[in-house]
Amino acid sequence: MALKVLFGVGFALCISFALTQARSLRSPGTLEEFQLGNIVLEFLPPYVYENGSKCMMESGCLKYEKIESGSGSDRLGSYLINIYTYTTSMNTSVIVSLRFYEDNTLVFKQEFPHGLNGTGMGDKDGVSAAFPRMVLPSAQAAPSLRFFTPGGYMIGYTRLSIGTIADNIDDFRYGEDGGLVVLFQQEGNSELWSMAMSALTQPMATNVWLDKNNSILDWGVQGQAENIPANFSLEVILHTNYYSINNLIMEWGAKLQEYHSTKRMVDLSAKYLSYYTDNGAYYYYNTGSFKNYRDALMSVYNYTLDAHLPVRRLELDSWWYYKGIKNGVKNWTEIPSVMPGGIANLHQTTGWPIVAHNRWFASDTDYAKQNGGKFPFTVDNSTSKALPLDKSFWDALFDKAKTWGLVTYIQDWLNDQYSHTSALHTNLTLGDTWLTDMAKSAEERDINILYCMSYIRHVLHSVTTPAVTQARASDDYRDGSHNQWRIGVTSLVANALGLIPFKDVFWSSKENHEDTPFKDMSNKDAFVEPNPHLQAAIATLSGGSVGPGDKAENLDVEVLMRSCDKEGLLLQPTKSLTVIDKYFFSNTYKEVWTGHSEVSNSTFGIIFMEDIKQDLNLSAYELNLEKAMKKNFILWQNYPFNATYIKVFNVGDNVDVPKCEGAFNFCLHYSSPAMKAAGTTYYFLGEKAKWVPVSPQRIINIQVSSSDVLVTVRGVEGEKVTLTFYETSAFDIGCTFAKSGTMKASAASRKCE
Ligand SMILES: *[C@@H]1O[C@H](CO)[C@@H](O)[C@H](O)[C@H]1NC(C)=O
Ligand SMILES: *[C@@H]1O[C@H](CO)[C@@H](O)[C@H](O)[C@H]1NC(C)=O
Ligand SMILES: *[C@@H]1O[C@H](CO)[C@@H](O)[C@H](O)[C@H]1NC(C)=O
Ligand SMILES: *[C@@H]1O[C@H](CO)[C@@H](O)[C@H](O)[C@H]1NC(C)=O
Ligand SMILES: *[C@@H]1O[C@H](CO)[C@@H](O)[C@H](O)[C@H]1NC(C)=O
Ligand SMILES: *[C@@H]1O[C@H](CO)[C@@H](O)[C@H](O)[C@H]1NC(C)=O
Ligand SMILES: *[C@@H]1O[C@H](CO)[C@@H](O)[C@H](O)[C@H]1NC(C)=O
Ligand SMILES: *[C@@H]1O[C@H](CO)[C@@H](O)[C@H](O)[C@H]1NC(C)=O
Ligand SMILES: *[C@@H]1O[C@H](CO)[C@@H](O)[C@H](O)[C@H]1NC(C)=O
Ligand SMILES: *[C@@H]1O[C@H](CO)[C@@H](O)[C@H](O)[C@H]1NC(C)=O
Ligand SMILES: *[C@@H]1O[C@H](CO)[C@@H](O)[C@H](O)[C@H]1NC(C)=O
Ligand SMILES: *[C@@H]1O[C@H](CO)[C@@H](O)[C@H](O)[C@H]1NC(C)=O
């Protein structure tokens, strides 16, 4: 007899019922089913591989010993727990448990007090020890059950998949490059229910496997683990939400962060304007008319000084260090002919802190003991890759890099390093050790880490490593071609985990000459950036790094200055722009993204639309902007620049905005809450000259009193900041900064002092 756990109303009551039942009616090995909306999800007993074969209850190999129930609490709150003990035919204990929290969260744990030998089941995408095992409902039982599974690299951007279980199951992402499963359903106006599942601990060692023949989702130890060390455990979280998918994903990420007490270092590279030289940049394996990178980058530096473009960081991509076998890293040292004088000298001359790229280590890397180097590595000759095994390696690498100005370390090719280092699949603790050593060493030296080509497992792991602050949210600017800016959903996953999404390099000008570095692009002569404004806006609205990569004289200062202040401080939203719930159901509103800025107690909404073929008529809830629209508000358009739309709404009104058609054509609307002072209703629109007119970097306080709305604005010596307010019509107040600091703009007196 299976137990039923009902989520939603009366959760606690149902659980205590379940536990009472569990003691008396327990049929050995049968785990609960639970019901979400009208869908019943059934759970199956665990299996493990031992001594090379599958050990299950059905075959008599896995024996049910006992169930214990209890209660407790941890960082996720108080819970009720069922603990099931099994033994294998070799008399090894396998313990699985299920914790029920009061807020619709379940945590599944598998633990191995004596370890387990011979667990490899052969498939890198498979599972060696499975718990939980969840049966997906059939297409007949749940025709409108949908899934969202980020897959592939760049936070799951490259093989991202959304569809129905009934029709699109072949697109469902699992195995090595999956790891986050979101299921949801809503029919018409019926109740929405949604659930997210992922590893809660040990993400590097955990797989999710979809058995399509039987519609079973197995979670557990990755399939090629040779053995499980004594006392190893892993946990899987299942979180449900009945409100919105955006809320579900944010709550799921918050749970992971709470559980691990996640902290993230401050990352100034994502706070100041950068210059990038990675794939898609003009100077990517290309020095144009210059004979080396030193000269090319000095031309960029000289240009930024002349043009008053406040670039504050320089990214050096893979072109600067030595490659070994199959292009892996031989040593992470500058090639003198590429960078005469060295990076240290370039760093000193320009004053630019360095953001530097690294990739996987080659099997002939100079650092490995196997090759006469100093450090223990695992060397995988079959794939020509190597992986450092000891933190001392990272300490030495970063100590040296500090001397030439490294502030942010880009670990790229995380996918290939993981997929093609066999020890990362056979050894359950190595993945965690690798990433933790790297991050600890970086943190000790005040270096940030930007993950690139990360699988979901890597970004899940990052909740335990404060140094990892940014993650690339889409494929390369070149490879991803004209669509790689579409980061609205990967940014949501990044936000949930407390990571800053990065959109990658872009061109701020449409063209960068006939000698474009897009060497291996068949249409390289035709390459034109269709909309540099779109690129600059998205980078800024993502809340992450802004890294143009044009040829020096093609840097469009006017466009780029919409992103930052006179010192290059980026003017960003408080919350990145991300897709709205409708994204998960249809393509109609695919590129409607929203975010907001918060200043004092006011929330300012931002709505981005690209190629939207019908007028918008959506509620604050549908726009994920309830906080920004909890008072009467004004909505106004600030892009295209000649737009004139401005309209006052009452709380609860649907927002109606005209369509915004055309590929790469985009529109930006902003909401501002009503502020009442001296019998007048004011709306503070902010600085129209910026992509984010109200940003906490620029607007540091808004004080609404009985007589005035006073806005405290931060500026830099010589800067003129024009702020727009609206009363019965719009009016501007100019703040001219004689020195760097703050000034106050008064709506009542229309002055800034
Ligand atoms: C484990 O498997 C090997 C062969 O694969 C076999 O010789 C051995 O007896 C097995 N051990 C046990 C305890 O079943
Ligand atoms: C299994 O292990 C337990 C203790 O861990 C022991 O008491 C028992 O005798 C063992 N059974 C077999 C069949 O080896
Ligand atoms: C696994 O194998 C190791 C080494 O042969 C042995 O020491 C250990 O007891 C075994 N563990 C189990 C659970 O069988
Ligand atoms: C699924 O069914 C196919 C066809 O019967 C079979 O070849 C395959 O091995 C099955 N896969 C699994 C994982 O059982
Ligand atoms: C596993 O944990 C138990 C209980 O904490 C401890 O007594 C035992 O020594 C541990 N075993 C190993 C191999 O660490
Ligand atoms: C950059 O400016 C410096 C100082 O004016 C000058 O010496 C140098 O030649 C310039 N370099 C390039 C590549 O323009
Ligand atoms: C890096 O590799 C190059 C090419 O093999 C070699 O010339 C150089 O000495 C190496 N540098 C270091 C620091 O190992
Ligand atoms: C890997 O290749 C190197 C160079 O060919 C060789 O010296 C080494 O023995 C190989 N290692 C293994 C484990 O095969
Ligand atoms: C697995 O990796 C750990 C580091 O996490 C290391 O200490 C251990 O020796 C490795 N085990 C094997 C069998 O290589
Ligand atoms: C924000 O609101 C809270 C509670 O309404 C109030 O105590 C606080 O002073 C406000 N903060 C600002 C900066 O206005
Ligand atoms: C927008 O939707 C609301 C509620 O569905 C409806 O009452 C209103 O007429 C619509 N407005 C427009 C302009 O279509
Ligand atoms: C803005 O200007 C563009 C051309 O520059 C024009 O096509 C468009 O209709 C104008 N929009 C408005 C709202 O005036």
Side-chain angles (χ1 to χ4, degrees):
M1 169 166 290
L3 298 170
K4 183 172 284 188
V5 178
L6 282 162
F7 279 92
V9 191
F11 174 80
L13 203 120
C14 290
I15 290 303
S16 47
F17 169 75
L19 286 174
T20 312
Q21 297 293 301
R23 283 189 200 99
S24 53
L25 295 177
R26 184 79 252 155
S27 89
T30 309
L31 292 170
E32 286 72 13
E33 65 181 32
F34 71 83
Q35 193 166 345
L36 284 155
N38 60 356
I39 292 178
V40 175
L41 296 166
E42 188 193 342
F43 283 89
L44 301 176
Y47 66 75
V48 297
Y49 277 78
E50 189 179 35
N51 200 26
S53 47
K54 194 172 190 174
C55 188
M56 309 182 75
M57 291 196 64
E58 293 91 315
S59 59
C61 169
L62 198 60
K63 284 206 185 60
Y64 170 78
E65 295 287 338
K66 59 177 174 182
I67 176 173
E68 294 156 288
S69 298
S71 61
S73 71
D74 60 23
R75 290 196 199 93
L76 298 184
S78 35
Y79 58 77
L80 298 168
I81 184 169
N82 284 357
I83 304 166
Y84 310 82
T85 304
Y86 298 84
T87 49
T88 68
S89 58
M90 290 166 76
N91 204 18
T92 314
S93 292
V94 174
I95 301 173
V96 303
S97 61
L98 186 49
R99 306 203 292 276
F100 306 84
Y101 296 83
E102 282 163 15
D103 63 343
N104 298 343
T105 303
L106 286 179
V107 172
F108 303 86
K109 182 174 187 179
Q110 43 178 272
E111 43 191 324
F112 305 86
H114 316 120
L116 205 59
N117 287 332
T119 49
M121 50 75 71
D123 187 341
K124 67 180 173 52
D125 293 319
V127 170
S128 285
F131 180 82
R133 305 184 62 211
M134 190 171 95
V135 183
L136 295 176
S138 67
Q140 292 95 309
S144 55
L145 178 60
R146 299 177 70 81
F147 66 87
F148 160 54
T149 51
Y153 54 87
M154 306 296 193
I155 325 182
Y157 175 92
T158 58
R159 299 182 71 219
L160 190 112
S161 180
I162 298 176
T164 62
I165 296 283
D167 298 328
N168 311 102
I169 197 71
D170 285 342
D171 298 333
F172 193 101
R173 304 301 184 211
Y174 58 91
E176 188 180 46
D177 69 357
L180 168 61
V181 172
V182 176
L183 298 176
F184 55 101
Q185 163 160 300
Q186 184 169 35
E187 281 173 273
N189 289 326
S190 74
E191 188 188 36
L192 168 82
W193 70 258
S194 61
M195 55 169 271
M197 272 182 106
S198 75
L200 176 63
T201 61
Q202 300 292 352
M204 292 303 293
T206 302
N207 269 357
V208 51
W209 159 263
L210 175 65
D211 172 354
K212 288 181 191 164
N213 292 356
N214 302 299
S215 271
I216 301 172
L217 209 53
D218 288 341
W219 293 83
V221 170
Q222 61 182 3
Q224 288 179 335
E226 280 168 354
N227 56 60
I228 300 176
N231 287 341
F232 181 86
S233 72
L234 67 77
E235 292 174 320
V236 171
I237 185 170
L238 186 167
H239 180 67
T240 58
N241 181 287
Y242 295 86
Y243 192 69
S244 81
I245 298 166
N246 267 272
N247 271 38
L248 171 80
I249 293 173
M250 291 306 288
E251 285 178 5
W252 156 79
K255 296 274 164 205
L256 265 84
Q257 294 194 62
E258 276 163 35
Y259 197 61
H260 295 283
S261 304
T262 300
K263 290 187 211 56
R264 302 278 183 188
M265 282 166 62
V266 171
D267 185 352
L268 294 179
S269 296
K271 295 259 162 237
Y272 286 93
L273 186 64
S274 309
Y275 181 81
Y276 263 71
T277 65
D278 66 335
N279 193 2
Y282 177 77
Y283 295 114
Y284 178 65
Y285 288 92
N286 175 51
T287 54
S289 56
F290 300 98
K291 54 184 189 304
N292 58 53
Y293 262 102
R294 162 86 190 186
D295 292 349
L297 292 174
M298 280 308 297
S299 81
V300 174
Y301 176 70
N302 287 355
Y303 180 81
T304 62
L305 288 188
D306 290 348
H308 302 290
L309 182 68
V311 167
R312 299 286 299 274
R313 291 285 184 283
L314 172 64
E315 190 265 354
L316 304 179
D317 213 69
S318 59
W319 43 261
W320 65 269
Y321 50 79
Y322 284 101
K323 317 297 189 300
I325 290 175
K326 296 257 180 77
N327 268 324
V329 180
K330 182 105 185 357
N331 60 67
W332 206 53
T333 315
E334 70 221 359
I335 304 169
S337 60
V338 170
M339 186 64 79
I343 299 174
N345 189 275
L346 179 73
H347 162 62
Q348 279 149 18
T349 308
T350 58
W352 282 339
I354 305 295
V355 175
H357 177 278
N358 200 7
R359 56 167 58 152
W360 72 92
F361 293 94
S363 52
D364 63 346
T365 180
D366 293 330
Y367 300 118
K369 276 189 176 158
Q370 290 91 327
N371 304 320
K374 280 193 206 149
F375 302 100
F377 269 68
T378 172
V379 171
D380 205 327
N381 276 353
S382 62
T383 58
S384 309
K385 290 188 171 51
L387 188 86
L389 293 175
D390 201 293
K391 179 168 172 288
S392 60
F393 165 75
W394 297 105
D395 292 346
L397 192 82
F398 290 145
D399 276 343
K400 177 133 189 268
K402 284 291 271 190
T403 67
W404 47 258
L406 181 73
V407 292
T408 297
Y409 174 75
I410 301 180
Q411 182 60 65
D412 195 2
W413 296 91
L414 283 162
N415 64 330
D416 269 34
Q417 181 84 74
Y418 172 72
S419 294
H420 302 129
T421 304
S422 58
L424 285 172
H425 292 262
T426 55
N427 183 331
L428 274 192
T429 56
L430 186 56
D432 173 50
T433 304
W434 162 47
L435 297 176
T436 302
D437 285 350
M438 180 200 303
K440 269 206 179 127
S441 181
E443 187 183 358
E444 284 161 12
R445 288 158 183 80
D446 204 21
I447 292 168
N448 290 97
I449 297 176
L450 189 166
Y451 274 178
C452 195
M453 301 177 80
S454 59
Y455 285 148
I456 288 293
R457 65 185 64 235
H458 297 109
V459 291
L460 294 179
H461 187 273
S462 79
V463 298
T464 59
T465 52
V468 179
T469 41
Q470 302 188 57
R472 266 281 295 284
S474 65
D475 215 339
D476 288 2
Y477 184 51
R478 181 205 61 183
D479 294 331
S481 73
H482 297 325
N483 287 312
Q484 72 79 241
W485 58 269
R486 299 181 194 274
I487 58 170
V489 66
T490 43
S491 293
L492 176 60
V493 177
N495 277 353
L497 297 170
L499 282 169
I500 303 168
F502 179 38
K503 115 103 203 93
D504 197 14
V505 68
F506 61 92
W507 288 3
S508 66
S509 286
K510 274 183 175 280
E511 290 184 58
N512 273 287
H513 277 252
E514 63 290 345
D515 56 342
T516 173
F518 289 65
K519 291 193 183 87
D520 46 356
M521 236 175 97
S522 52
N523 63 340
K524 65 171 182 170
D525 297 331
F527 184 82
V528 172
E529 165 50 52
N531 193 348
H533 289 186
L534 175 67
Q535 296 290 335
I538 293 298
T540 313
L541 295 167
S542 74
S545 294
V546 175
D550 306 79
K551 187 176 187 177
E553 57 270 34
N554 293 343
L555 285 163
D556 188 325
V557 178
E558 209 182 305
V559 168
L560 294 171
M561 288 309 293
R562 299 187 75 81
S563 303
C564 62
D565 77 0
K566 193 166 172 267
E567 285 182 335
L569 177 68
L570 296 173
L571 304 176
Q572 299 166 315
T574 307
K575 182 202 155 284
S576 303
L577 270 70
T578 56
V579 295
I580 59 174
D581 264 36
K582 290 196 178 299
Y583 168 90
F584 296 99
F585 291 94
S586 85
N587 278 334
T588 312
Y589 297 110
K590 192 162 179 238
E591 307 301 2
V592 176
W593 309 356
T594 62
H596 63 256
S597 291
E598 264 170 39
V599 178
S600 304
N601 281 341
S602 297
T603 306
F604 297 81
I606 307 174
I607 303 172
F608 164 88
M609 297 192 273
E610 182 259 358
D611 201 10
I612 298 300
K613 296 180 170 59
Q614 63 191 68
D615 296 347
L616 232 58
N617 180 13
L618 300 175
S619 67
Y621 161 75
E622 289 168 312
L623 287 167
N624 200 21
L625 284 176
E626 285 170 301
K627 216 172 157 193
M629 297 176 176
K630 68 178 185 223
K631 292 181 179 175
N632 294 349
F633 61 96
I634 199 165
L635 195 76
W636 60 288
Q637 190 173 357
N638 199 33
Y639 193 89
F641 297 133
N642 58 354
T644 54
Y645 176 103
I646 186 161
K647 189 170 167 182
V648 172
F649 290 86
N650 292 321
V651 182
D653 285 353
N654 263 18
V655 165
D656 55 331
V657 170
K659 63 190 169 195
C660 184
E661 283 185 287
F664 312 117
N665 180 41
F666 73 106
C667 298
L668 284 169
H669 290 78
Y670 302 85
S671 76
S672 300
M675 296 174 177
K676 289 207 173 69
T680 304
T681 301
Y682 293 106
Y683 301 90
F684 175 55
L685 309 191
E687 190 182 6
K688 286 176 133 178
K690 306 298 179 186
W691 296 120
V692 183
V694 180
S695 62
Q697 291 82 12
R698 176 70 96 193
I699 310 299
I700 61 174
N701 190 41
I702 300 172
Q703 201 185 327
V704 184
S705 69
S706 57
S707 57
D708 202 357
V709 174
L710 267 183
V711 174
T712 309
V713 50
R714 183 192 283 132
V716 177
E717 184 181 328
E719 196 166 34
K720 180 161 186 207
V721 178
T722 302
L723 299 178
T724 302
F725 290 74
Y726 185 95
E727 194 188 323
T728 48
S729 61
F731 62 92
D732 289 347
I733 302 178
C735 304
T736 305
F737 287 84
K739 59 176 175 31
S740 297
T742 61
M743 295 181 75
K744 281 188 179 172
S746 150
S749 70
R750 302 195 172 190
K751 275 195 197 133
C752 187
E753 303 176 320

